[in-house]
Every structure is written in C-alpha cells, then in structure tokens.
Amino acid sequence: MSNLTLKDIEELLRKGNKEQIEEAIDSIHPADILEIIHDHPDHADLILSKLPNDMIADIIEEEDDEDDQYTLLTSLLKDRQREILDEMSDDELADIVGELDEEEKSQVLSNLDHDDKQTIENLLTYDPETAGGLMTTDYISIRAKNTVLDTLNYLHSASLEDLPKYYLYVVDKDGILKGVVSLRDIVESSFDTPILDITNENVKTINYLEDQEDVAKTFMKYSFIMMPVVDDENRMLGIIEIDDIMDVIEDETTEDINLMAGMSGEERVDSTLVESYISRVPWLIVNLATAVMAAAVVDKFSGTIAKVVSLASIMSIVTGMGGNAGTQSLTILVRGLSLGEIDRDNALKIFFKEVGVGLLTGITIGIFVGLGSWWFAHNPWFGLVAALAMILNMVAANIAGYLVPVVLRKCHIDPALASGVFVTTVTDCLGFLFFLGLATLFLPLLVQ
C-alpha cells in the first residue's frame, strides 16, 4: 500500500469501508487527503466520516488558512469536535482560536477539558509573531535529579503521542532548563547513570519575546529541527519545531514580496475583492504622486522635446532600464538585510560594489543604447546623450537600490515596505533629468 497514487487514495476514501481505510491509513499522508477534499468538496463529509480522529486532526493542521481550519472543525465535524480537538497540538489550536471572534472562540474552548483550555488561553497571551506565539507545550521534560532508570520508567508510563522525537529537556525543580539529553545517550547508558552526567548543558535557547523572523534566522544558522523557548530566568516554557519555522519563512517571504510591490503583507490570491482593493490602492496613490513628479520633470524640458521629437521615443528606455537595475540592487539588499548579512563592517564595501556594478552595467547597456539611438536619429550626438544618460541613471538606480532599504531600516521600518515605489521614483525622475538635461545641453548639436 506504500505506492498509492492520489487517484488510488481518492478511490479508497470514496468507495472503501472504514476497515479498508484503517488498514491503509499509515501509508496515506494527511496533505494528500486535504488536497482531495479541496478538489472534491461535495465528498468531504463522506471522506471525513470514514477517518479516525487523529488523522482528521492532522488534516486540519495541514490546512494553511485558520478560517478554513475552523470551517472543517465546526461545519463538517461538529459531532466529533471534542474528540478531534483532543488530538490536535496546542500551538495549532492556539493559532486557530486566536483568529476567531469572541463567540467562536468560546465555542471552541468550551469543548476542551480544563487543562487544555488553560494551556490554550496561556498561549494566546503571547504575541503570535514571537517565539512565545510559535511554541508548543507538547514536550517531555525530566528532572535533573533523575537517573537513566527513572527516566526510562517515566517514558514507559507516557502515552505514545507524548513520547519525544529527538531530545529530552532536563530541568530542575523550579523548571529552569539545565540542558538536553538525546534518546540515544539514554539507551546507551547504564541504569544508575545520573541524567546530569549525560546532559549537554551547552543548549541554544530562544527567549519567548524574540521576533519570529529572528527565530527563523537562529534555526537557519544552527540547522536545528527544534529549539526550547525560555523566559528571562531561563525557565522552560515550550519548544518550537522546524515545521513552524518553515511556515514563518514562507509568511515572511510572502510579506516582503508584497511590501516591495506596494501591497499589504497579508494579501493572498484568495483574498476578497475588498481586501485586495484596500491592500493595493494606498500605494498606488503614492505611486501616482511620484508619477506626477516625474511628469513635472518632463514638463520642464517640453521645449527641448518640441525641438527634438525623437527624444520622446528614447527617454522611456533610459528610465525603464534604470528601474530594472534598481530593482536588482534592491532585491539583493532587502534579502541581505532580512538575513542579517549586512552590518557596519561590510556596509561601505557593499555600497561601493553596487556603485561599481551600476557603472559597469551602465557602460555596457549605454553602448547598446547609444549605438541604437545614433542609428535611430542618424546623429552621433544623440547616441552620446542617450549613452551618458543611461550610465548616469543606472549608477543612480543602484545607489537608490542600496540607500532606500538601508534608510528604511535605520528608521525602524521594514526595508521591504514599498521600496520598489521609492526606487522607481528615483530612476524615473533622475532618468528624465539626465536624458533631457543632457539633450538641452547638446541641443545645438542635436538639431543640426
């Protein structure tokens, strides 16, 4: 049953009985079942009715959107809600409940037992974009005073779903984290070995207030699959697992892409018409204002354009290529700032590198534009003006691509925040200024 295709799974879920499905369930990933439910929503009730509670809990956790998770939980699974909630991890439950209104939140919490309800309410006190908001309390800790035998007896008494996947966290009587011990070390040690003797005290921790983006950087730096979350006294509060960090990286990347384009970081392809409108229109208005600035620059040189009409055909090339160059530089800089790759030691070096790249690319593209403009206008001076303007604008574009995100970061603003709009403003205004200004300077030679 290990080579089931999506079509095989769909056939089994729709036509198979509970016994057949239970026999094959270990070979089916919940993400595949969720995809089938999305593709065949009319069969969702039938499919879910045949699945065990723990698999349904996994399917709900695979759903990306909290609203869709809530819909699955309350609409299709209303009669089994309490049992399914009991199978879900506390961090996933907290994420769902945190997105609900008060009435819906009360409904979900009323289906939890006292301890689970208290855990979820405690998790909801943390900012959802911090380590505290990401962590789960589903982990096993052991007392520092225990021996290996004490630990094994404790693990034997735990339920299977509570058993640790990789590490045990060693704490003292006050919950202060003393270190971690691997399951392998426990198995390889004699029964009377004190746990502290095989505990690795050099454990990396995350403070519960740390921003989720910084948490993701820490995971990437150390290539960890899970990390403990502690308070200011190093008291252990929970753990963060790599699958939560993958979601953070996806969310942060999506947000940066949206912000660079002048949209809300929350907009998605399935956002409503009103949500998309509200997300986009503010920065489009800002962009309109910057376009007016560029138009004002062109208007100052209307006399020059009237005398050399060919300028109107070429100037958009100069500004367009400058915009492309600025976007390239901007993308590299925003990524570098997000990953912490730019600091005081290398900032100046990177700046001059961007200036150099702008100069070299400007000369290269300028040669092509100059030759093409010469041929287009049958005037070598026209080609020279276009080439010089291209070189100047591409250097300016790379400088803007560097300075805009750096200045935004200095002002404690997300460097991705509509940086593209500001860079385009610079390249448009300066592109027109360089090209039309040089054309005005060389005007007697251009009208010959």
Side-chain angles (χ1 to χ4, degrees), residues 5 74 101 132 150 166-167 185 206 225 273 275 277 393 432 444:
T5 65
T74 56
D101 59 36
D150 296 329
Y166 307 104
Y167 307 112
D185 287 339
I206 298 173
I225 53 177
L273 184 149
E275 288 171 341
Y277 169 78
N393 200 32
F432 289 135

Side-chain angles (χ1 to χ4, degrees), residues 304 307-308 311 374 377-385 388 438-448:
T304 301
K307 293 177 182 177
V308 187
L311 293 171
W374 181 356
H378 306 289
N379 187 330
W381 295 105
F382 192 96
L384 178 64
V385 166
L388 289 175
L438 287 169
T440 302
L441 186 63
F442 285 84
L443 187 59
L445 298 171
L446 297 179
V447 296
Q448 287 180 354

Side-chain angles (χ1 to χ4, degrees), residues 35-264:
E35 183 177 346
I36 292 170
I37 291 174
H38 284 168
D39 291 341
H40 305 281
D42 294 340
H43 300 134
D45 281 317
L46 175 63
I47 292 172
L48 293 172
S49 68
K50 300 179 181 180
L51 297 174
N53 293 330
D54 58 343
M55 173 57 82
I56 294 176
D58 290 339
I59 292 170
I60 294 174
E61 292 184 8
E62 287 290 334
E63 182 68 74
D64 292 330
D65 188 88
E66 283 83 5
D67 290 335
D68 292 335
Q69 289 179 319
Y70 181 72
T71 300
L72 271 176
L73 191 58
T74 56
S75 300
L76 302 177
L77 304 163
K78 193 171 183 179
D79 297 337
R80 301 163 63 187
Q81 189 178 130
R82 182 181 295 274
E83 294 79 6
I84 292 167
L85 287 172
D86 192 51
E87 297 287 347
M88 294 183 65
S89 61
D90 53 20
D91 59 327
E92 289 288 346
L93 268 177
D95 289 341
I96 296 175
V97 173
E99 295 295 321
L100 304 179
D101 59 36
E102 288 303 317
E103 182 179 346
E104 294 170 336
K105 184 183 298 185
S106 298
Q107 178 187 346
V108 173
L109 291 176
S110 66
N111 282 301
L112 300 175
D113 62 38
H114 176 73
D115 290 341
D116 287 341
K117 181 180 179 181
Q118 197 169 35
T119 297
I120 300 304
E121 289 177 338
N122 182 53
L123 287 174
L124 289 174
T125 62
Y126 298 105
D127 185 327
E129 295 190 355
T130 64
L134 290 175
M135 72 180 182
T136 176
T137 56
D138 292 333
Y139 69 94
I140 290 183
S141 61
I142 53 176
R143 289 292 180 88
K145 65 178 183 179
N146 286 356
T147 63
V148 166
L149 180 59
D150 296 329
T151 301
L152 289 172
N153 288 334
Y154 175 64
L155 293 178
H156 285 159
S157 67
S159 59
L160 288 176
E161 60 267 22
D162 289 335
L163 289 176
K165 299 176 183 177
Y166 307 104
Y167 307 112
L168 287 172
Y169 295 94
V170 182
V171 299
D172 65 14
K173 61 182 179 62
D174 297 317
I176 304 298
L177 181 63
K178 309 304 290 185
V180 296
V181 58
S182 70
L183 293 177
R184 178 176 178 175
D185 287 339
I186 291 175
V187 171
E188 291 179 345
S189 301
S190 60
F191 287 164
D192 60 350
T193 302
I195 280 295
L196 281 180
D197 286 358
I198 56 174
T199 296
N200 178 10
E201 298 180 357
N202 184 27
V203 56
K204 301 293 182 183
T205 61
I206 298 173
N207 186 275
Y208 74 103
L209 292 175
E210 194 166 335
D211 184 83
Q212 63 177 12
E213 192 170 359
D214 294 327
V215 175
K217 291 176 185 176
T218 303
F219 266 80
M220 293 168 64
K221 177 179 180 180
Y222 295 107
S223 300
F224 286 149
I225 53 177
M226 66 170 57
M227 291 187 71
V229 180
V230 298
D231 62 15
D232 295 332
E233 285 75 42
N234 206 44
R235 187 178 293 106
M236 188 158 178
L237 302 175
I239 61 170
I240 298 177
E241 297 181 298
I242 188 64
D243 58 334
D244 296 312
I245 296 304
M246 296 301 293
D247 292 337
V248 169
I249 292 173
E250 180 182 349
D251 291 342
E252 292 290 341
T253 301
T254 301
E255 181 181 8
D256 285 350
I257 292 172
N258 284 359
L259 291 175
M260 286 179 66
M263 299 185 296
S264 164

Side-chain angles (χ1 to χ4, degrees), residues 6 33 69 96 128 184 189 194 201 217 239 292 315 327 339 354 401 434-435 444:
L6 202 61
I33 301 179
Q69 289 179 319
I96 296 175
R184 178 176 178 175
S189 301
E201 298 180 357
K217 291 176 185 176
I239 61 170
V292 170
M315 62 185 186
T327 300
L339 297 178
E354 288 301 316
F434 291 143
F435 184 57

Side-chain angles (χ1 to χ4, degrees), residues 341-410:
E341 296 175 345
I342 301 174
D343 52 38
R344 291 185 178 183
D345 295 332
N346 62 11
L348 198 59
K349 178 182 177 181
I350 294 172
F351 172 76
F352 285 117
K353 186 209 76 171
E354 288 301 316
V355 174
V357 170
L359 181 61
L360 292 176
T361 54
I363 291 172
T364 302
I365 302 300
I367 290 172
F368 287 106
V369 171
L371 291 174
S373 300
W374 181 356
W375 175 83
F376 175 75
H378 306 289
N379 187 330
W381 295 105
F382 192 96
L384 178 64
V385 166
L388 289 175
M390 182 62 72
I391 294 169
L392 291 172
N393 200 32
M394 292 191 77
V395 171
N398 278 38
I399 292 174
Y402 176 93
L403 290 179
V404 167
V406 169
V407 169
L408 289 175
R409 172 59 66 86
K410 288 288 186 182

